[in-house]
Amino acid sequence: MSQPTTDQMSLILFSGDFDKAMAALTLANGAAGRGMQVNIFFTFWGISLLRRKNLESKFFLEKLFKTMMPVGTENLGLSKFNFCGIGPWLLKKLIRQKDGQTTQDLFKMAIDREVRFIACEASLKLLGIKKEELIEYEHLEVAGVDTFLHSALESKIAMLI
Amino acid sequence: MSQPTTDQMSLILFSGDFDKAMAALTLANGAAGRGMQVNIFFTFWGISLLRRKNLESKFFLEKLFKTMMPVGTENLGLSKFNFCGIGPWLLKKLIRQKDGQTTQDLFKMAIDREVRFIACEASLKLLGIKKEELIEYEHLEVAGVDTFLHSALESKIAMLI
Amino acid sequence: MSQPTTDQMSLILFSGDFDKAMAALTLANGAAGRGMQVNIFFTFWGISLLRRKNLESKFFLEKLFKTMMPVGTENLGLSKFNFCGIGPWLLKKLIRQKDGQTTQDLFKMAIDREVRFIACEASLKLLGIKKEELIEYEHLEVAGVDTFLHSALESKIAMLI
């Protein structure tokens, strides 16, 4: 009741695109840098960022979707001008030239800043992705939409990307 | 003043994609399930979900856009890997295999849970879609951006998809 | 402390698409029309709207991205049914037939209503776009994510498009 409260921000990362993930992670790192508590709910295509490896699936459709979706932040596409992967490759080169931060760098920074990651339970179940296929991170949990709503209700900023 | 208040969530569904609509409706049903009042403002491509039939239009451009835009939740595309409709068809199959809920199921659930639907007046006017072409639903109204802003100002969560 | 406060809305315009910019600017003008203070943070592809001219760049990759990204509100594409520019051209025709407002009209209105524009510093640096390549507007500033977060924390509505 009389506890000091920390401002919170809750993001939904629905997209698995390099550029959109960059935007979400820049916001997350900025807010965490201000001392805010940040929660990111990774759902649908956004699950890609949390993937560490791809365990073989027995079911054809699962296998298909799991093969199409990137594993980790290294292999994301662009939401525009993707050109079969040339776009993100060029953008990464440009970012390096400018000493900027790529999605990978921002993702690591978010982990350093202890941003809370929530992997959408329903998305994992749908795609047949097991928890052991995700990155190992102390502040990663698997939970449902209710967990997100709970944190969004306590947040000053809630956005979907 | 001393009335008990219900927490509100207001969403803008700008997208008419199967996967994005799924995300919006999952959020809506989750929040309604918690006892929150949920408002969804359907605008632009999002109008597709509310369409029940396609009345012939006399004007060429109207006809063109109305023909390109899906009618109802059955015919939505995916924001990624659409492949001329194969993507959503496979995703629906996968959802069925897992006893999950498709966009259609979630849409019906939102209606059962009395989520308030607002069809964007300007979008309807632009596309020449009449109210009788939309689904019949007690809690569907046609209104403008001001109605959305009013509800967003009273909401704890406001997001655009 | 005892000052009368104005409700605020803060938007991130990440997208440079005609239809999404239309949605963002409709929201912005609606809120400004209600007397709210509106802040738009233009980032990544959204920077396109603020571009006035394209100064030659010495670096190949900068030049490439700067050439691919539209200059100003006149040349934006659609997020769906773009068909190499035919989509937005037809949509603009349709809007004119209905006496509606195009993205250009809404952009001018936002300037008339003194909506505050913030051009994302990191995006400009990345793309090598200088401030003199942007529109001249009293309420346009170049700033970082922290400026956005500050305004979002003071806003009743914060959304990303």
Side-chain angles (χ1 to χ4, degrees):
Chain A
M1 220 87 171
S2 55
Q3 283 179 299
T5 55
T6 309
D7 282 341
Q8 285 193 43
M9 178 171 78
S10 295
L11 302 178
I12 298 179
L13 186 55
F14 172 87
S15 166
D17 295 321
F18 184 90
D19 44 346
K20 291 195 171 176
M22 228 171 114
L25 293 166
T26 301
L27 281 166
N29 287 327
R34 285 175 79 93
M36 291 172 68
Q37 197 205 304
V38 182
N39 316 293
I40 307 182
F41 187 73
F42 295 82
T43 188
F44 232 91
W45 314 109
I47 291 287
S48 297
L49 280 88
L50 299 177
R51 295 176 80 193
R52 189 169 51 93
K53 57 180 179 186
N54 188 4
L55 291 181
E56 267 290 291
S57 175
K58 272 184 248 167
F59 304 102
F60 173 70
L61 280 177
E62 264 186 16
K63 204 187 287 189
L64 189 70
F65 275 95
K66 284 178 74 173
T67 307
M68 286 196 305
M69 280 175 66
V71 175
T73 50
E74 299 285 334
N75 304 299
L76 306 174
L78 273 182
S79 70
K80 294 250 159 216
F81 308 133
N82 191 52
F83 302 133
C84 305
I86 299 171
W89 182 76
L90 290 175
L91 186 58
K92 266 183 251 184
K93 270 185 98 78
L94 185 58
I95 293 170
R96 292 285 174 230
Q97 281 180 10
K98 305 287 178 118
D99 296 318
Q101 288 169 307
T102 64
T103 304
Q104 287 103 293
D105 303 328
L106 294 166
F107 190 76
K108 278 174 204 146
M109 188 189 279
I111 287 175
D112 285 343
R113 295 191 173 179
E114 304 193 343
V115 168
R116 181 184 169 214
F117 287 176
I118 307 161
C120 170
E121 202 167 15
S123 302
L124 292 182
K125 195 190 151 198
L126 178 63
L127 299 162
I129 295 175
K130 293 185 184 59
K131 217 203 154 175
E132 55 265 33
E133 293 177 68
L134 304 183
I135 55 160
E136 282 164 15
Y137 171 43
E138 192 183 354
H139 302 289
L140 167 66
E141 68 202 270
V142 174
V145 71
D146 212 59
T147 300
F148 171 75
L149 287 168
H150 183 82
S151 77
L153 283 169
E154 291 187 340
S155 296
K156 285 211 171 174
I157 307 176
M159 293 192 292
L160 184 145
I161 305 187
Chain B
M1 219 90 170
S2 56
Q3 281 179 300
T5 55
T6 309
D7 283 340
Q8 285 194 43
M9 179 172 77
S10 294
L11 302 178
I12 298 180
L13 187 53
F14 172 87
S15 166
D17 294 322
F18 184 90
D19 45 345
K20 292 196 172 176
M22 228 172 112
L25 293 166
T26 300
L27 282 166
N29 288 327
R34 285 175 78 95
M36 292 172 68
Q37 196 206 304
V38 182
N39 315 292
I40 306 181
F41 187 73
F42 294 83
T43 186
F44 231 91
W45 313 108
I47 292 287
S48 296
L49 279 88
L50 300 176
R51 295 176 80 192
R52 189 169 50 93
K53 57 179 178 187
N54 188 4
L55 291 181
E56 268 290 291
S57 175
K58 272 183 249 168
F59 305 101
F60 173 71
L61 280 177
E62 264 186 15
K63 204 187 288 190
L64 189 70
F65 276 95
K66 284 178 73 172
T67 306
M68 286 196 304
M69 279 174 66
V71 175
T73 49
E74 300 285 334
N75 304 298
L76 306 175
L78 273 181
S79 70
K80 294 250 159 215
F81 309 134
N82 191 52
F83 303 133
C84 306
I86 298 172
W89 181 76
L90 289 175
L91 186 58
K92 266 183 249 183
K93 269 184 100 78
L94 185 59
I95 293 170
R96 292 284 175 232
Q97 279 181 9
K98 305 284 178 122
D99 296 318
Q101 288 170 307
T102 64
T103 305
Q104 287 103 294
D105 302 328
L106 294 166
F107 190 76
K108 278 174 204 146
M109 188 189 279
I111 288 175
D112 285 343
R113 295 190 174 179
E114 304 192 343
V115 168
R116 180 184 170 215
F117 287 176
I118 308 161
C120 170
E121 202 167 15
S123 302
L124 292 182
K125 195 190 152 200
L126 178 64
L127 299 161
I129 294 174
K130 293 184 185 62
K131 215 203 154 174
E132 55 265 34
E133 294 177 68
L134 303 183
I135 56 160
E136 281 164 15
Y137 172 42
E138 193 184 353
H139 303 289
L140 167 64
E141 66 201 273
V142 174
V145 70
D146 212 58
T147 301
F148 171 75
L149 287 168
H150 183 82
S151 77
L153 284 169
E154 291 188 339
S155 295
K156 286 211 171 173
I157 306 174
M159 293 193 292
L160 183 145
I161 307 188
Chain C
M1 219 88 169
S2 56
Q3 282 179 300
T5 54
T6 309
D7 283 341
Q8 286 193 44
M9 178 171 78
S10 295
L11 302 177
I12 298 179
L13 187 53
F14 171 87
S15 165
D17 293 322
F18 184 90
D19 43 346
K20 292 195 171 177
M22 229 171 113
L25 294 165
T26 301
L27 282 166
N29 288 327
R34 286 175 79 93
M36 291 172 68
Q37 196 206 304
V38 182
N39 316 293
I40 307 182
F41 187 73
F42 295 82
T43 186
F44 231 93
W45 314 109
I47 292 286
S48 296
L49 280 88
L50 300 177
R51 294 175 79 193
R52 190 169 50 93
K53 57 179 178 187
N54 188 4
L55 291 181
E56 268 290 291
S57 174
K58 270 183 250 169
F59 305 102
F60 173 70
L61 280 177
E62 263 186 18
K63 204 187 286 189
L64 189 70
F65 276 95
K66 284 178 74 172
T67 306
M68 286 197 302
M69 280 175 66
V71 175
T73 50
E74 299 285 335
N75 304 299
L76 307 175
L78 272 181
S79 71
K80 294 250 158 215
F81 309 134
N82 191 52
F83 303 133
C84 306
I86 299 172
W89 181 76
L90 289 175
L91 186 59
K92 267 183 247 183
K93 270 186 98 76
L94 185 58
I95 293 170
R96 293 283 175 232
Q97 280 181 9
K98 304 288 177 119
D99 296 319
Q101 289 169 307
T102 65
T103 305
Q104 288 103 294
D105 302 328
L106 294 166
F107 190 76
K108 279 174 203 146
M109 187 188 279
I111 288 175
D112 285 344
R113 294 190 176 180
E114 305 192 343
V115 168
R116 180 184 169 213
F117 287 175
I118 307 161
C120 171
E121 202 167 15
S123 302
L124 293 182
K125 195 189 152 200
L126 178 64
L127 298 161
I129 295 174
K130 294 184 184 61
K131 215 201 155 176
E132 56 264 35
E133 294 178 68
L134 304 183
I135 56 160
E136 281 164 15
Y137 171 43
E138 192 184 353
H139 303 287
L140 167 65
E141 67 202 272
V142 174
V145 71
D146 212 59
T147 301
F148 171 75
L149 287 168
H150 183 81
S151 77
L153 284 169
E154 292 188 339
S155 296
K156 286 210 171 176
I157 306 175
M159 292 193 291
L160 182 143
I161 306 189

